[in-house]
Amino acid sequence: MKIPITKTFFGPEEMAAVQKPLETGWVVQGPYVKKFEDQFSAYTKAQASIATSNCTTALHISVAALGLKPGDEVIVPSFTWVSTANVVEYMGATPIFCDIDLHTFNLDVTKLENLINERTVGVMPVHLFGLCADMQPIMEIAKKYQLWVVEDAACAFGAWYQGKHAGTFGDTGCFSFHPRKSITTGEGGMITTAHTYLETLSRSLRDHGASRTDLARHTAKAGFLLAEYNHLGYNYRMTDIQGALGSVQMERAEWILAERTRLAQRYDALLADLAWLATPCVPEGYVHGYQAYVCLFHPEEPTLANVERLNERRNAIMMILEEKGIATRQGTHAPVTVGYYANKYGLKPEQFPNAHLAELLSLALPLYPQMTQEEQDFVNSELRAAFKATAT
Ligand SMILES: Cc1ncc(COP(=O)(O)O)c(C=O)c1O
């Protein structure tokens, strides 16, 4: 049996959808991107949705539109995909890392306020693996210090907090449609915002800073004249082929999310008796989107002193599973320990103990909507067998 970490779900509707732009010949950002954006707004209840080429470019546009500049500081979690911090670096500003809560893998709100100083301009909470960060206190602190908030909602499609969808709390929210996410357009991203000026500016920045879109120009009178370019923009557009794909994935979204949730809850039940594995937590008032099913391997209380040893055993378990045909992954990485940040800022893992523990002890199990009961039972039994086989 071969069980990948995830599988895209494409049916005949997706196959047909991607052909439509090819038939009309209009393949750059156009009507299907617009349709996808409208569906995304309808689902998330965001005021506006702006599609981009991926989530990293969505984040980059957001911080550029908010005026991030050299000398500024932005608080980001110490356990996240490296893009969250990278976009701050792109602007010549400095990411300030905040440690995480080991139960949720999200920003530890109790550590946030201490990191704020006169250079701090914003905070970028990440809704990791489909669980929202604790947005109420984050928004309160942001308001108190007049900070903007960009939600890194790359993993958070289908994630809700106190009745609101991820990406609708901060100034912007940024989503990813990479194939490891619940719905996919190959590569793809989306910005959500309730600010009209950020919507207008983001639409322009994704398109070289243009004052109107190619489609608008091509369908208007005097389309031979170029748009105005008053901003330093980028080419971060989504193609209409991806828009058509995203639009059909949106039509399937309820089913995809329901299946992911059903399977995640089945894992919860199957693994409940394992004292050495913490399954994903879902606090009161949260709906988990289950972009990934990420557990914490903790055969004993993890500390900086024993983490290397526990990590060796986690990796040995993952290796055995790989040999059995079961793909697993570490949850994500701790940017504070990647060469670029560690070298540039002289960061040490001990400064971010929980991020360090999460990097070395997180364990993502396979999850995809078409996963069968037999596959899931096989993961469960092989995981148990691998734990036993690595006992010393
Ligand atoms: C938390 C987080 N932020 C940003 C990204 C970047 O998304 P993309 O690959 O669409 O640029 C990812 C992708 O995995 C992510 O997990």
Side-chain angles (χ1 to χ4, degrees), residues 10-29:
F10 298 138
E13 295 83 357
E14 279 84 352
M15 310 289 167
V18 294
Q19 286 186 27
K20 289 186 187 158
L22 306 185
E23 283 160 11
T24 67
W26 188 275
V27 289
V28 293
Q29 180 191 296

Side-chain angles (χ1 to χ4, degrees), residues 58-70:
L59 291 165
H60 191 189
I61 288 173
S62 293
V63 294
L66 286 160
L68 185 61
K69 58 180 192 316

Side-chain angles (χ1 to χ4, degrees), residues 53-57 59 80-84 126-129 152-155 174-178 180-181 187-189 291 332:
S53 50
N54 55 62
C55 180
T56 308
T57 55
L59 291 165
T80 177
W81 188 246
V82 75
S83 305
T84 324
V126 179
H127 310 307
L128 213 54
F129 313 135
D152 182 338
C155 315
C174 300
F175 294 81
S176 173
F177 306 116
H178 179 273
R180 278 221 47 202
K181 306 302 187 283
E187 297 278 359
Q291 174 267 327
T332 185

